[in-house]
Amino acid sequence: MPAITIDLITVLAERLRRQGLLAPADTPEAYLALFARLQPVSPPFFSYPGSPPNLTHRTTFDDMVLAGRYRERRELVKGRFLNRTIGYVLEGDFALYANAFCRPLEKMAWMQRRVFEALETTGPLTPHQLSEETDLLNKEIMPALHRLQEAFLVYEDQLTTDWERGWYVLASEWPEVVIAPERREAAMGEVLIRFLASHVYATARQIADWSSWPMKEVARLLATLDARGDIVSATLPGLGEGWLRREDQTLPADPVPPTVFMLHKADPLARAHAS
């Protein structure tokens, strides 16, 4: 089926609305609904280590304060998602995003095994306690922890911006969360549909920029979703061929006032346009 042609201004206006930039969230409930559309949500680019996630320009209040409260209650869960960077998702969606972005470890290196076994037998432990337990240096422990975190084998309990925070074996904290290779493809497809719901239209390159999935995997996912009828190809004058959800073939043509936003590099819109 040939790609449909859609209007650039109409797409961009709808994208600003769905991203919460034209009507910022003004209640905790609206914040959580917007967070669900944009997750994984990163802390501001080049912010203080341990900073909460931030929906820049998308709330009428200081959302980092609210995010900090949700994080303390584990309603927002920390992990390494987009290009192995820190991000947060809603606890109810943790399994979905973990399966979509997991980097499995076929075999642990010796140092990774040493750190993981210490957490299994003695944890939770802070990096300083891990150093005492394993006789490893901090510069050896942290890369091991980060790689285990990318595989969603360990969880970093980020309550504040304090450097000494607890690390747990993830399965002990969320025994109901199953992360398995056979779940990856379906999870990636669902995450891609959610991305298109908030971004409205995206090229394969933009999807790869945002997700950091290899272009070959993105192309395969798009072909699968297209064959299922979940998405359709569309041509935007000036941008070329991309994709949108089936239900977004008709968009409201409401005017948008002249609008300018400055976004940091970890913002979902900036990330999707990195190339």
Side-chain angles (χ1 to χ4, degrees):
M1 182 182 295
I4 63 173
T5 300
I6 50 178
D7 178 64
L8 174 63
I9 299 301
T10 300
V11 167
L12 295 180
E14 185 63 15
R15 180 183 293 166
L16 291 176
R17 290 189 189 92
R18 295 189 190 181
Q19 291 272 329
L21 289 165
L22 295 185
D26 56 2
T27 66
E29 293 75 21
Y31 168 81
L32 289 174
L34 181 59
F35 197 101
R37 290 205 301 272
L38 301 181
Q39 60 188 337
V41 178
S42 303
F45 183 78
F46 209 62
S47 58
Y48 191 83
S51 295
N54 178 226
L55 297 177
T56 309
H57 302 310
R58 295 170 172 88
T59 62
T60 59
F61 50 83
D62 185 353
D63 71 304
M64 293 179 75
V65 173
L66 186 62
R69 294 174 189 155
Y70 286 132
R71 183 172 68 173
E72 288 175 12
R73 302 200 294 257
R74 287 191 177 179
E75 293 176 46
L76 298 182
V77 183
K78 183 178 184 179
R80 289 185 178 269
F81 301 99
L82 306 170
N83 196 24
R84 306 191 292 274
T85 58
I86 291 298
Y88 290 82
V89 298
L90 298 175
E91 183 181 23
D93 291 324
F94 184 36
L96 172 68
Y97 285 89
N99 275 291
F101 291 102
C102 179
R103 292 185 66 230
L105 265 174
E106 292 185 12
K107 184 178 181 181
M108 290 187 194
W110 178 85
M111 220 164 296
Q112 294 162 354
R113 170 59 62 187
R114 184 78 182 90
V115 168
F116 186 76
E117 287 177 348
L119 293 177
E120 271 190 317
T121 56
T122 318
L125 298 169
T126 68
H128 180 72
Q129 291 168 331
L130 269 170
S131 182
E132 292 179 338
E133 187 71 24
T134 61
D135 291 326
L136 296 172
L137 300 175
N138 188 71
K139 66 179 182 181
E140 298 171 314
I141 290 170
M142 294 315 297
L145 283 173
H146 291 164
R147 184 63 186 91
L148 291 167
Q149 191 179 31
E150 292 167 15
F152 290 92
L153 295 172
V154 300
Y155 172 71
E156 183 183 13
D157 203 18
Q158 185 79 58
L159 302 180
T160 66
T161 56
D162 185 59
W163 286 96
E164 280 296 302
R165 44 194 178 260
W167 288 79
Y168 301 72
V169 172
L170 190 141
S172 68
E173 303 302 295
W174 282 279
E176 74 282 3
V177 171
V178 177
I179 301 169
E182 61 270 18
R183 299 187 176 209
R184 175 177 166 81
E185 191 82 8
M188 291 172 71
E190 173 61 24
V191 166
L192 177 48
I193 288 290
R194 293 185 180 202
F195 170 75
L196 287 174
S198 65
H199 212 75
V200 184
Y201 160 92
T203 65
R205 179 72 265 169
Q206 288 170 341
I207 294 166
D209 280 350
W210 173 79
S211 65
S212 296
W213 295 328
M215 279 292 289
K216 192 179 295 185
E217 289 194 41
V218 170
R220 187 182 70 250
L221 279 172
L222 289 170
T224 299
L225 295 174
D226 182 29
R228 249 176 23 202
D230 294 336
I231 62 174
V232 296
S233 60
T235 299
L236 239 63
L239 291 182
E241 186 176 355
W243 301 86
L244 69 164
R245 297 184 307 162
R246 179 185 55 206
E247 54 265 48
D248 287 332
Q249 293 179 73
T250 303
L251 297 169
D254 298 330
V256 174
T259 309
V260 176
F261 298 100
M262 183 176 289
L263 304 173
H264 60 85
K265 286 177 69 175
D267 186 273
L269 280 175
R271 190 188 294 273
H273 291 77
S275 290

Coordinates of all heavy atoms in Angstrom, one line a residue, residues 123-173:
G123 N 23.1 -8.7 50.4 CA 22.5 -7.4 50.1 C 21.2 -7.2 50.8 O 20.7 -8.1 51.5
P124 N 20.6 -6.0 50.7 CA 21.2 -4.9 49.8 C 22.4 -4.3 50.4 O 22.6 -4.2 51.6 CB 20.0 -3.9 49.8 CG 19.3 -4.1 51.1 CD 19.4 -5.6 51.4
L125 N 23.3 -3.8 49.5 CA 24.5 -3.1 49.8 C 24.8 -1.9 49.1 O 24.4 -1.8 47.9 CB 25.7 -4.1 49.6 CG 25.7 -5.4 50.3 CD1 26.8 -6.4 49.7 CD2 26.0 -5.2 51.8
T126 N 25.4 -0.9 49.7 CA 25.8 0.3 49.0 C 27.2 0.0 48.3 O 27.8 -1.0 48.6 CB 26.0 1.5 50.0 OG1 27.1 1.2 50.8 CG2 24.8 1.7 50.8
P127 N 27.6 0.8 47.4 CA 29.0 0.6 46.8 C 30.1 0.5 47.8 O 31.0 -0.4 47.7 CB 29.1 1.8 45.9 CG 27.7 2.2 45.5 CD 26.9 1.9 46.7
H128 N 30.0 1.3 48.8 CA 31.1 1.2 49.9 C 31.0 -0.1 50.6 O 32.1 -0.8 50.9 CB 30.9 2.4 50.9 CG 31.9 2.4 52.0 ND1 33.2 2.7 51.8 CD2 31.8 2.0 53.3 CE1 33.9 2.6 52.9 NE2 33.1 2.2 53.9
Q129 N 29.8 -0.6 50.9 CA 29.7 -1.9 51.6 C 30.1 -3.0 50.7 O 30.7 -4.0 51.1 CB 28.2 -2.1 52.0 CG 27.8 -1.2 53.2 CD 26.3 -1.1 53.4 OE1 25.5 -1.4 52.5 NE2 25.9 -0.9 54.7
L130 N 29.8 -2.9 49.4 CA 30.2 -3.9 48.4 C 31.7 -4.0 48.3 O 32.3 -5.1 48.2 CB 29.7 -3.6 47.0 CG 28.3 -4.1 46.6 CD1 27.8 -3.5 45.3 CD2 28.4 -5.7 46.5
S131 N 32.4 -2.8 48.4 CA 33.8 -2.8 48.4 C 34.4 -3.6 49.6 O 35.4 -4.4 49.5 CB 34.4 -1.4 48.4 OG 35.8 -1.3 48.3
E132 N 33.8 -3.4 50.8 CA 34.2 -4.1 52.0 C 34.0 -5.6 51.9 O 34.8 -6.4 52.3 CB 33.5 -3.5 53.2 CG 33.9 -2.0 53.5 CD 33.2 -1.5 54.7 OE1 32.1 -2.0 55.1 OE2 33.7 -0.5 55.3
E133 N 32.8 -5.9 51.3 CA 32.4 -7.3 51.2 C 33.3 -8.1 50.2 O 33.5 -9.3 50.4 CB 30.9 -7.4 50.8 CG 30.3 -8.7 50.8 CD 30.2 -9.3 52.2 OE1 30.1 -8.4 53.2 OE2 30.1 -10.5 52.4
T134 N 33.7 -7.4 49.1 CA 34.3 -8.1 48.0 C 35.8 -7.9 47.8 O 36.5 -8.6 47.1 CB 33.7 -7.7 46.6 OG1 33.8 -6.3 46.4 CG2 32.2 -8.1 46.6
D135 N 36.3 -6.9 48.6 CA 37.7 -6.4 48.4 C 38.0 -5.9 47.0 O 39.2 -5.9 46.6 CB 38.7 -7.6 48.8 CG 38.7 -7.9 50.2 OD1 38.5 -7.0 51.1 OD2 38.8 -9.1 50.5
L136 N 37.0 -5.4 46.3 CA 37.2 -4.8 45.0 C 37.2 -3.3 45.2 O 36.6 -2.8 46.2 CB 36.0 -5.2 44.1 CG 35.9 -6.7 43.7 CD1 34.7 -7.0 42.9 CD2 37.2 -7.1 42.9
L137 N 37.8 -2.6 44.3 CA 37.8 -1.2 44.3 C 36.5 -0.6 43.7 O 35.8 -1.3 42.9 CB 39.0 -0.6 43.5 CG 40.4 -1.1 44.0 CD1 41.4 -0.6 43.0 CD2 40.7 -0.5 45.4
N138 N 36.2 0.6 44.1 CA 34.9 1.2 43.6 C 35.0 1.3 42.1 O 33.9 1.1 41.4 CB 34.8 2.6 44.2 CG 33.4 3.3 43.8 OD1 32.4 2.8 44.3 ND2 33.4 4.3 43.0
K139 N 36.1 1.6 41.5 CA 36.2 1.7 40.0 C 36.0 0.4 39.3 O 35.8 0.3 38.1 CB 37.6 2.3 39.6 CG 38.8 1.5 40.0 CD 40.1 2.2 39.5 CE 41.3 1.3 39.8 NZ 42.6 2.0 39.4
E140 N 36.1 -0.7 40.1 CA 35.9 -2.0 39.5 C 34.4 -2.4 39.8 O 33.8 -3.1 38.9 CB 36.7 -3.1 40.2 CG 38.2 -2.9 40.0 CD 39.1 -3.8 40.8 OE1 38.8 -3.9 42.0 OE2 40.0 -4.4 40.3
I141 N 33.8 -2.0 40.9 CA 32.5 -2.3 41.3 C 31.4 -1.6 40.4 O 30.5 -2.3 39.9 CB 32.2 -2.0 42.8 CG1 33.0 -3.0 43.6 CG2 30.7 -2.0 43.1 CD1 33.0 -2.6 45.1
M142 N 31.6 -0.3 40.2 CA 30.6 0.5 39.5 C 30.3 0.0 38.0 O 29.2 -0.2 37.6 CB 30.9 1.9 39.5 CG 30.9 2.5 40.9 SD 29.4 2.0 41.9 CE 28.1 2.8 40.9
P143 N 31.4 -0.3 37.2 CA 31.1 -0.8 35.9 C 30.4 -2.1 35.9 O 29.5 -2.4 35.1 CB 32.5 -1.0 35.3 CG 33.4 0.0 36.0 CD 32.8 0.0 37.4
A144 N 30.7 -3.0 36.9 CA 30.0 -4.3 37.0 C 28.6 -4.1 37.4 O 27.7 -4.7 36.8 CB 30.7 -5.1 38.1
L145 N 28.3 -3.2 38.3 CA 26.9 -2.9 38.7 C 26.1 -2.3 37.5 O 25.0 -2.7 37.3 CB 26.9 -1.8 39.8 CG 27.2 -2.4 41.2 CD1 27.3 -1.2 42.2 CD2 26.1 -3.4 41.7
H146 N 26.7 -1.4 36.8 CA 26.0 -0.8 35.6 C 25.7 -1.8 34.5 O 24.6 -1.8 34.0 CB 26.9 0.3 35.0 CG 27.0 1.5 36.0 ND1 27.9 2.5 35.8 CD2 26.2 1.9 37.1 CE1 27.8 3.4 36.7 NE2 26.8 3.1 37.5
R147 N 26.6 -2.7 34.3 CA 26.3 -3.8 33.3 C 25.2 -4.7 33.8 O 24.4 -5.1 33.0 CB 27.6 -4.6 33.0 CG 27.4 -5.6 31.9 CD 27.0 -4.9 30.5 NE 26.7 -5.9 29.5 CZ 25.5 -6.3 29.2 NH1 24.4 -5.9 30.0 NH2 25.3 -7.2 28.3
L148 N 25.3 -5.1 35.1 CA 24.2 -5.9 35.6 C 22.9 -5.1 35.6 O 21.8 -5.8 35.4 CB 24.5 -6.3 37.1 CG 25.7 -7.2 37.2 CD1 26.2 -7.3 38.7 CD2 25.4 -8.6 36.8
Q149 N 22.9 -3.8 35.8 CA 21.7 -3.0 35.7 C 21.1 -3.0 34.3 O 19.9 -3.0 34.1 CB 22.1 -1.6 36.2 CG 20.9 -0.7 36.4 CD 21.3 0.7 36.9 OE1 22.4 1.2 36.6 NE2 20.5 1.3 37.7
E150 N 22.0 -2.9 33.3 CA 21.5 -3.0 31.9 C 20.9 -4.3 31.6 O 20.0 -4.3 30.7 CB 22.7 -2.8 30.9 CG 23.3 -1.4 31.0 CD 24.7 -1.3 30.3 OE1 25.0 -2.2 29.5 OE2 25.4 -0.3 30.5
A151 N 21.3 -5.4 32.3 CA 20.6 -6.7 32.1 C 19.4 -6.9 33.0 O 18.8 -7.9 33.0 CB 21.7 -7.8 32.3
F152 N 19.1 -5.8 33.8 CA 18.0 -5.9 34.7 C 18.1 -7.1 35.7 O 17.2 -7.8 35.9 CB 16.7 -5.9 34.0 CG 16.4 -4.6 33.3 CD1 16.7 -4.3 32.0 CD2 15.8 -3.5 34.0 CE1 16.5 -3.1 31.4 CE2 15.5 -2.3 33.5 CZ 15.9 -2.1 32.2
L153 N 19.3 -7.3 36.1 CA 19.6 -8.3 37.2 C 19.7 -7.6 38.6 O 19.5 -8.3 39.6 CB 20.9 -9.0 36.9 CG 20.9 -9.9 35.6 CD1 22.3 -10.4 35.3 CD2 19.9 -11.0 35.8
V154 N 20.0 -6.3 38.6 CA 20.1 -5.6 39.9 C 19.3 -4.3 39.8 O 19.0 -3.8 38.7 CB 21.6 -5.3 40.3 CG1 22.4 -6.5 40.4 CG2 22.2 -4.3 39.2
Y155 N 19.0 -3.8 40.9 CA 18.2 -2.6 41.0 C 18.8 -1.6 42.0 O 19.3 -2.0 43.1 CB 16.8 -2.9 41.5 CG 15.9 -1.7 41.8 CD1 15.5 -0.9 40.8 CD2 15.7 -1.3 43.2 CE1 14.7 0.3 41.1 CE2 14.9 -0.1 43.4 CZ 14.4 0.6 42.4 OH 13.7 1.8 42.6
E156 N 18.9 -0.4 41.5 CA 19.5 0.7 42.3 C 18.4 1.5 43.0 O 17.6 2.1 42.3 CB 20.4 1.6 41.4 CG 21.1 2.7 42.1 CD 21.8 3.6 41.1 OE1 21.6 3.5 39.9 OE2 22.6 4.5 41.6
D157 N 18.4 1.5 44.3 CA 17.3 2.2 45.0 C 17.6 3.6 45.2 O 18.3 4.0 46.1 CB 17.1 1.5 46.4 CG 15.7 1.7 46.9 OD1 14.8 2.1 46.1 OD2 15.5 1.5 48.1
Q158 N 17.1 4.4 44.3 CA 17.4 5.9 44.3 C 16.3 6.6 45.0 O 15.2 6.9 44.5 CB 17.4 6.4 42.8 CG 17.9 7.8 42.7 CD 19.4 8.0 42.8 OE1 20.1 7.4 42.0 NE2 19.8 8.7 43.8
L159 N 16.6 6.9 46.3 CA 15.6 7.7 47.1 C 15.9 9.2 47.2 O 15.0 10.0 47.2 CB 15.6 7.1 48.5 CG 15.3 5.6 48.7 CD1 15.3 5.2 50.1 CD2 13.9 5.3 48.1
T160 N 17.2 9.5 47.2 CA 17.6 10.9 47.2 C 18.8 11.0 46.2 O 19.1 10.1 45.5 CB 18.1 11.3 48.6 OG1 19.3 10.6 49.0 CG2 17.0 11.0 49.6
T161 N 19.5 12.2 46.3 CA 20.7 12.3 45.5 C 22.0 11.9 46.2 O 23.1 12.1 45.7 CB 20.9 13.8 45.1 OG1 20.9 14.6 46.3 CG2 19.7 14.3 44.2
D162 N 21.8 11.2 47.3 CA 23.0 10.7 48.0 C 23.8 9.7 47.2 O 23.2 8.8 46.5 CB 22.5 10.0 49.3 CG 23.6 9.6 50.2 OD1 24.4 10.5 50.6 OD2 23.8 8.4 50.5
W163 N 25.1 9.7 47.3 CA 26.0 8.9 46.6 C 25.9 7.4 47.0 O 25.9 6.5 46.3 CB 27.4 9.3 46.7 CG 27.7 10.5 45.9 CD1 27.7 11.8 46.3 CD2 28.0 10.6 44.5 NE1 28.0 12.7 45.3 CE2 28.2 12.0 44.2 CE3 28.1 9.7 43.5 CZ2 28.5 12.4 42.9 CZ3 28.5 10.1 42.2 CH2 28.7 11.4 41.9
E164 N 25.7 7.2 48.4 CA 25.7 5.9 48.9 C 24.2 5.4 48.9 O 23.5 5.6 49.9 CB 26.3 5.9 50.3 CG 27.8 5.9 50.3 CD 28.4 4.6 49.7 OE1 28.1 3.5 50.2 OE2 29.1 4.7 48.8
R165 N 23.8 4.7 47.9 CA 22.5 4.2 47.8 C 22.5 2.7 47.6 O 23.5 2.1 47.1 CB 21.7 4.8 46.7 CG 22.5 5.0 45.4 CD 21.8 5.9 44.4 NE 22.5 6.2 43.2 CZ 23.3 7.3 43.0 NH1 23.4 8.2 43.9 NH2 23.9 7.4 41.8
G166 N 21.5 2.0 48.1 CA 21.4 0.6 48.1 C 21.2 -0.1 46.7 O 20.5 0.5 45.9
W167 N 21.9 -1.2 46.5 CA 21.7 -2.0 45.3 C 21.2 -3.3 45.8 O 21.6 -3.9 46.7 CB 23.1 -2.2 44.6 CG 23.6 -0.9 43.9 CD1 24.2 0.1 44.5 CD2 23.5 -0.7 42.5 NE1 24.5 1.1 43.5 CE2 24.1 0.6 42.3 CE3 23.0 -1.4 41.4 CZ2 24.1 1.2 41.1 CZ3 23.0 -0.8 40.2 CH2 23.6 0.5 40.0
Y168 N 20.2 -3.8 45.0 CA 19.5 -5.0 45.3 C 19.5 -6.0 44.1 O 19.7 -5.6 43.0 CB 18.0 -4.8 45.6 CG 17.7 -3.8 46.7 CD1 17.9 -2.4 46.6 CD2 17.1 -4.3 47.9 CE1 17.6 -1.6 47.6 CE2 16.8 -3.4 48.9 CZ 17.0 -2.1 48.8 OH 16.7 -1.2 49.8
V169 N 19.3 -7.3 44.4 CA 19.0 -8.2 43.3 C 17.6 -7.9 42.9 O 16.7 -8.0 43.7 CB 19.2 -9.7 43.8 CG1 18.7 -10.6 42.7 CG2 20.6 -10.0 44.1
L170 N 17.4 -7.6 41.6 CA 16.1 -7.2 41.1 C 15.0 -8.2 41.4 O 13.9 -7.9 41.8 CB 16.1 -6.8 39.6 CG 14.9 -6.1 39.1 CD1 15.3 -5.1 38.1 CD2 14.0 -7.1 38.4
A171 N 15.3 -9.5 41.2 CA 14.3 -10.5 41.3 C 13.8 -10.6 42.8 O 12.6 -11.1 43.0 CB 14.9 -11.9 40.9
S172 N 14.6 -10.2 43.7 CA 14.1 -10.3 45.1 C 13.2 -9.1 45.5 O 12.4 -9.3 46.4 CB 15.4 -10.2 46.1 OG 16.0 -8.9 46.0
E173 N 13.3 -8.0 44.7 CA 12.4 -6.9 44.9 C 11.1 -7.0 44.1 O 10.1 -6.5 44.5 CB 13.1 -5.6 44.6 CG 14.4 -5.4 45.4 CD 14.1 -5.4 46.9 OE1 13.4 -4.5 47.4 OE2 14.6 -6.3 47.6

